[in-house]
Amino acid sequence: VWARVVLLEHQQGKVVDRSVKRVLVIGGAGYIGSALLSKLLDKGYRVRLMDIFLYGEEPIAKLRDHPRLEIMHADFRRVEEVVSALRDVHAVIHLGAIVGDPACALDEEFAIAVNLTATRLIAQAAKGHGVDRFIFASTCSVYGASDDLLDERSAVNPLSLYARSKLASEEILMELAADHFAPVILRFGTVYGMSGRPRFDLVVNLLAAKAVSEGKITVWGSDQWRPFLHVDDAASALVTVLEAPLELVRGEVFNVGSDEQNYTLGHLGATINRMVPASELSCTPAEAKDRRNYRVSFAKIRQRLGFEPKWQLEDGIRQVIHAIRSRQVGDYRDARYSNVKY
């Protein structure tokens, strides 16, 4: 009964865990991190950003002088720098990673060192420092390929090094879980939309940019399913978990997205084609190297934490179209907008 009361009050905005005052965001200058920082600062948190700034400081340029933002230009693979970053921290949000299948495939040893080995180091250090709330960014691609509707209890079948590194990190974190160390895993859907660090190596953003710039939309594997999630909603989910009573999230895995945004890639292509009618849509069979196909249930995070995304797929597509047409971004093919190219 108590748990149900806490849940109800939390959903009504009455219960927020305010024991967290300073948050360490690792990898906070990236695609999701640059959307998260402003949300945390607007809510009054003191934020320590730890990042190697592989893609430069431009994604956080507007926040650089914020009085409650401390910036550490540091490598989270180095234990001494991680220990320094954890000083006086009440929670950790770990976003740092080599993100995406192609980027990880470039140098597998490096990807494992960043995505897996460093995650163990950071988690062990956080546990040793008494930081009980540890939020880890994972991915729905751990499910791989299935024709079923998948929830957090479903079998996992990672098909790429990126997905395998995320799943292995999840397992490490759960092994480290204890009364005073509460890891929380967030499996994000296929993210889209604009943030402080634009990306055009993501399927929604890429196809929308190509439709506007080149008048062509080429969809590989039009019958493959993906659960789509706007980057701003991904950031909001992180805040929701950060502020939830620890009893509701301790040691839990949450899929992050909405059931309504499970779409096939063919549907995505047709939607962009409708919004950019001058473009030409063509669909081709799936490439043998990409066998991913998954529809995901997001009932758990909706029912337990009251989280529901605010953005719809069409809104995100419209946002990308505007960014290209208004020259808010330069050439979308520039290497800085692609993890693997950069």
Side-chain angles (χ1 to χ4, degrees):
V1 172
W2 173 84
R4 290 175 64 187
V5 170
V6 168
L7 173 58
L8 178 62
E9 290 181 340
H10 176 68
Q11 289 174 336
Q12 294 173 342
K14 296 179 181 178
V15 174
V16 174
D17 188 338
R18 292 301 185 192
S19 62
V20 175
K21 297 179 176 62
R22 177 176 281 109
V23 183
L24 171 61
V25 182
I26 299 175
Y31 184 53
I32 295 177
S34 58
L36 172 65
L37 291 182
S38 59
K39 292 182 182 296
L40 293 175
L41 294 169
D42 288 346
K43 283 180 166 285
Y45 290 101
R46 294 188 176 278
V47 180
R48 180 173 294 146
L49 164 62
M50 182 184 194
D51 205 296
I52 201 169
F53 294 99
L54 182 63
Y55 304 102
E57 294 191 21
E58 185 178 353
I60 63 160
K62 295 180 180 178
L63 301 172
R64 189 181 291 117
D65 297 324
H66 196 288
R68 279 184 279 103
L69 177 62
E70 177 187 351
I71 298 174
M72 286 187 64
H73 194 299
D75 187 341
F76 59 74
R77 294 173 297 168
R78 298 179 179 175
V79 63
E80 66 276 10
E81 297 187 357
V82 171
V83 168
S84 177
L86 287 167
R87 177 176 40 85
D88 300 324
V89 162
H90 305 104
V92 172
I93 299 176
H94 182 25
L95 303 173
I98 303 300
V99 177
D101 301 349
C104 285
L106 284 177
D107 187 333
E108 295 192 359
E109 184 176 342
F110 178 60
I112 292 171
V114 173
N115 291 11
L116 181 58
T117 308
T119 295
R120 183 195 294 273
L121 181 156
I122 295 164
Q124 289 174 332
K127 183 177 180 179
H129 277 70
V131 179
D132 58 357
R133 193 178 296 248
F134 190 101
I135 304 171
F136 177 69
S138 188
T139 170
C140 282
S141 66
V142 298
Y143 296 118
S146 175
D147 293 327
D148 298 326
L149 183 65
L150 306 166
D151 63 20
E152 292 82 356
R153 299 165 297 179
S154 298
V156 290
N157 180 31
L159 299 176
S160 67
L161 176 62
Y162 173 62
R164 292 195 298 272
S165 71
K166 285 295 187 178
L167 182 60
S169 293
E170 290 185 16
E171 293 168 350
I172 287 171
L173 292 173
M174 291 309 182
E175 289 172 1
L176 289 170
D179 289 343
H180 61 284
F181 183 69
V184 188
I185 310 298
L186 298 189
R187 292 175 178 168
F188 292 115
T190 301
V191 188
Y192 65 90
M194 302 299 295
S195 76
R197 192 239 153 174
R199 285 182 61 189
F200 289 97
D201 54 353
L202 299 165
V203 64
V204 174
N205 298 357
L206 175 62
L207 293 184
K210 289 177 73 70
V212 174
S213 300
E214 301 164 19
K216 294 183 179 180
I217 307 167
T218 302
V219 177
W220 297 87
S222 58
D223 59 343
Q224 292 180 330
W225 287 86
R226 295 288 189 279
F228 293 105
L229 172 71
H230 194 282
V231 62
D232 186 71
D233 287 323
S236 294
L238 288 162
V239 175
T240 296
V241 171
L242 178 70
E243 296 188 335
L246 201 55
E247 293 78 6
L248 293 180
V249 298
R250 175 187 297 275
E252 296 289 347
V253 176
F254 293 99
N255 295 332
V256 182
S258 63
D259 291 21
E260 296 76 15
Q261 291 190 70
N262 280 304
Y263 293 118
T264 63
L265 297 182
H267 176 92
L268 168 63
T271 301
I272 295 173
N273 186 221
R274 186 179 70 250
M275 298 177 69
V276 188
S279 61
E280 178 183 339
L281 172 64
S282 63
C283 297
T284 58
E287 293 181 282
K289 65 181 180 181
D290 188 354
R291 296 177 288 114
R292 292 174 299 162
N293 176 66
Y294 44 90
R295 290 181 300 136
V296 180
S297 168
F298 302 98
K300 181 177 178 179
I301 195 169
R302 182 178 66 250
Q303 294 170 1
R304 184 171 297 195
L305 303 183
F307 173 80
E308 293 195 55
K310 296 180 179 179
W311 287 76
Q312 296 299 316
L313 183 62
E314 291 83 356
D315 299 326
I317 294 170
R318 191 173 296 110
Q319 184 187 38
V320 174
I321 290 171
H322 173 73
I324 297 296
R325 287 178 171 166
S326 66
R327 301 188 182 279
Q328 180 181 325
V329 296
D331 185 350
Y332 78 91
R333 294 162 294 193
D334 192 293
R336 69 178 184 270
Y337 299 132
S338 165
N339 288 355
V340 64
K341 289 180 180 179
Y342 196 87

